[in-house]
Amino acid sequence: MSVTAWMTVVVFAAVYVLIATEIVHRVAAALGGAVVMLVIGATDPEHAFFSEHAGIDWNVIFLLLGMMLIVAVLKRTGIFEYIALTAAKLARGRPYRLMVLLVVATAVLSPWLDNVTTVLLIAPVTILVCRRLGYPVVPYLIAEVMACNIGGAATLIGDPPNIMIGSRADLSFNDFLVHMTPIVIVLMVIFVLMCRVLFRKHFHFDPEMADAVADLRPRDEIKDTKLLAVSGTIVILVMAAFVLHTALHIEPSVVAITGGLVLLAASRLNATAVAKDVEWETLAFFTGLFVMVGALVQTGVIGKLGEAAASATEGQLLGTSMALIFGSAVPSAVIDNIPFVASVSPIVSEIVAAAGGKGEAGMLWWSFALGADLGGNATIIASSANVVVIGIAEREGHHISFWQFSRIGLVVTAVTLSVAGLYVWLRYFALA
């Protein structure tokens, strides 16, 4: 690699250490790293701001912004309080039952929306219900975002990397349902059981609190029924457009920002007040991260990593599939799975073509998707949903550190990847 490429790796590693150790706030570290990448020539303004594969992913930024506007308006209707209290009553105040309820709801929503939209809707509910019941917020948020990353792997639209893979490999929505949904269901059952062990020290049942929950009146929390009706109509239209976006030929980012702006206008709320509820720090963090990862793409670092992984398998389908599952998870955990998939998917396409095309070798795409999607649970910056949840939690006064997330995430990632590897071996080799 060139000197610039090595400098890029050093800068990225330094920023990663700053984020992991929290010596510097993650937003300052990411934006500072982006500036350094521009100064050393690892990227340039043209690529950083306008390149589809080596710059800021504006589709992700505007998708987030649009959904944040929708959530900001919805918060004023009281719907989150209503859902929170309803969940509390269903759980009867029992902490593990509440976690299972929220985790399953997240996993059911994420394949049909996308994982970022799901956590934007679920996280505020979680914070409210935990506060009302006196339970620690952080374990529930961590469990939900991990369930979201697992559940989102089930469909073409559930996780941004799946959209990229589907486009590159010409895979349909039904292809994902057939190949990805079965293993995702198995992984979710395993994850729900794991939650009982991973978060066991936080499950303290309070009988008095359970009695208090029985007296809650969720309907009293609805503050503006007219705004709720308007918001509900627009949200349903946005969700429908998300599901049908491939048929409509409209990017999810356009759907989200249009829905957010239309809802803001229809609500007649003060735009300045609503804008204050947008997670601007999260958007800034993503901007810096995209520029840094784009520099790794621009200097050829990510491409070299992908080629090395491909050559190491020497054309063996089983070895290649395992390399894609476990090998994709590592860089996905370090640099965010969206830019990783964008830069490595062309390499996977060449491997599939060389191994016989979409027929027998087509299963390599499912290995790649599983590795990238499940690797998103390893660290706080491994997926967009993680970053969003960390930002929401911090805004509400609940700090989630890098290692607090990762010591759970690494265990979940290791277990789910192992099960996914077994699934690929059984389905496409042993029982084929």
Side-chain angles (χ1 to χ4, degrees), residues 69-213:
L69 287 172
I70 290 174
V71 170
V73 174
L74 278 172
K75 285 170 66 174
R76 288 158 171 79
T77 67
I79 186 62
F80 292 136
E81 289 87 346
Y82 173 84
I83 296 173
L85 297 190
T86 301
K89 288 179 73 71
L90 289 173
R92 297 178 183 175
R94 295 186 177 275
Y96 176 62
R97 186 180 295 176
L98 176 64
M99 180 174 283
V100 171
L101 188 65
L102 293 172
V103 160
V104 171
T106 302
V108 170
L109 285 175
S110 57
W112 308 105
L113 307 181
D114 66 78
N115 51 16
V116 171
T117 302
T118 301
V119 295
L120 280 169
L121 295 174
I122 292 290
V125 173
T126 302
I127 293 171
L128 285 167
V129 70
C130 287
R131 284 178 175 172
R132 186 64 69 96
L133 295 176
Y135 294 155
V137 172
V138 171
Y140 289 85
L141 289 178
I142 291 176
E144 284 170 1
V145 74
M146 290 182 181
C148 195
N149 288 327
I150 295 171
T155 68
L156 174 67
I157 62 174
D159 207 354
N162 288 5
I163 297 175
M164 299 177 189
I165 290 171
S167 176
R168 171 70 63 173
D170 192 25
L171 298 169
S172 69
F173 191 92
N174 288 338
D175 289 332
F176 275 84
L177 285 179
V178 171
H179 293 273
M180 295 287 281
T181 301
I183 182 58
V184 167
I185 293 173
V186 173
L187 292 176
M188 276 309 307
V189 172
I190 293 172
F191 178 67
V192 167
L193 296 175
M194 289 179 68
C195 286
R196 182 67 178 173
V197 178
L198 293 172
F199 302 104
R200 61 187 180 279
K201 66 180 181 180
H202 302 289
F203 298 140
H204 301 296
F205 177 63
D206 185 347
E208 292 183 4
M209 183 61 70
D211 291 338
V213 166

Side-chain angles (χ1 to χ4, degrees), residues 231-302:
S231 301
T233 301
I234 292 176
V235 168
I236 290 172
L237 291 173
V238 168
M239 297 304 110
F242 276 151
V243 174
L244 300 172
H245 83 273
T246 52
L248 298 174
H249 304 292
I250 302 176
E251 289 293 329
S253 57
V254 176
V255 172
I257 195 64
T258 301
L261 293 175
V262 168
L263 179 55
L264 179 60
S267 69
R268 298 185 179 181
L269 295 171
N270 184 284
T272 302
V274 173
K276 288 180 180 178
D277 286 338
V278 171
E279 303 289 335
W280 297 109
E281 286 189 355
T282 299
L283 298 178
F285 179 73
F286 268 118
T287 300
L289 192 63
F290 278 133
V291 172
M292 287 197 300
V293 174
L296 292 175
V297 174
Q298 185 68 12
T299 54
V301 174
I302 292 181

Side-chain angles (χ1 to χ4, degrees), residues 54-77:
I56 299 170
D57 192 331
W58 294 110
N59 282 319
V60 172
I61 298 296
F62 281 100
L63 171 64
L64 288 171
L65 178 57
M67 293 312 301
M68 286 175 180
L69 287 172
I70 290 174
V71 170
V73 174
L74 278 172
K75 285 170 66 174
R76 288 158 171 79
T77 67

Side-chain angles (χ1 to χ4, degrees), residues 4-81:
T4 302
W6 282 111
M7 290 174 65
T8 304
V9 172
V10 170
V11 171
F12 186 88
V15 171
Y16 199 85
V17 170
L18 291 177
I19 294 173
T21 58
E22 300 183 327
I23 294 174
V24 177
H25 192 278
R26 60 189 178 87
V27 176
L31 292 178
V35 171
V36 174
M37 293 296 191
L38 288 165
V39 170
I40 66 175
T43 187
D44 54 62
E46 182 178 355
H47 286 92
F49 302 132
F50 304 109
S51 173
E52 182 179 356
H53 301 295
I56 299 170
D57 192 331
W58 294 110
N59 282 319
V60 172
I61 298 296
F62 281 100
L63 171 64
L64 288 171
L65 178 57
M67 293 312 301
M68 286 175 180
L69 287 172
I70 290 174
V71 170
V73 174
L74 278 172
K75 285 170 66 174
R76 288 158 171 79
T77 67
I79 186 62
F80 292 136
E81 289 87 346

Side-chain angles (χ1 to χ4, degrees), residues 305-315 320 347 351:
L305 290 174
E307 290 171 5
S311 62
T313 62
E314 297 181 350
T320 303
I347 299 172
I351 296 173

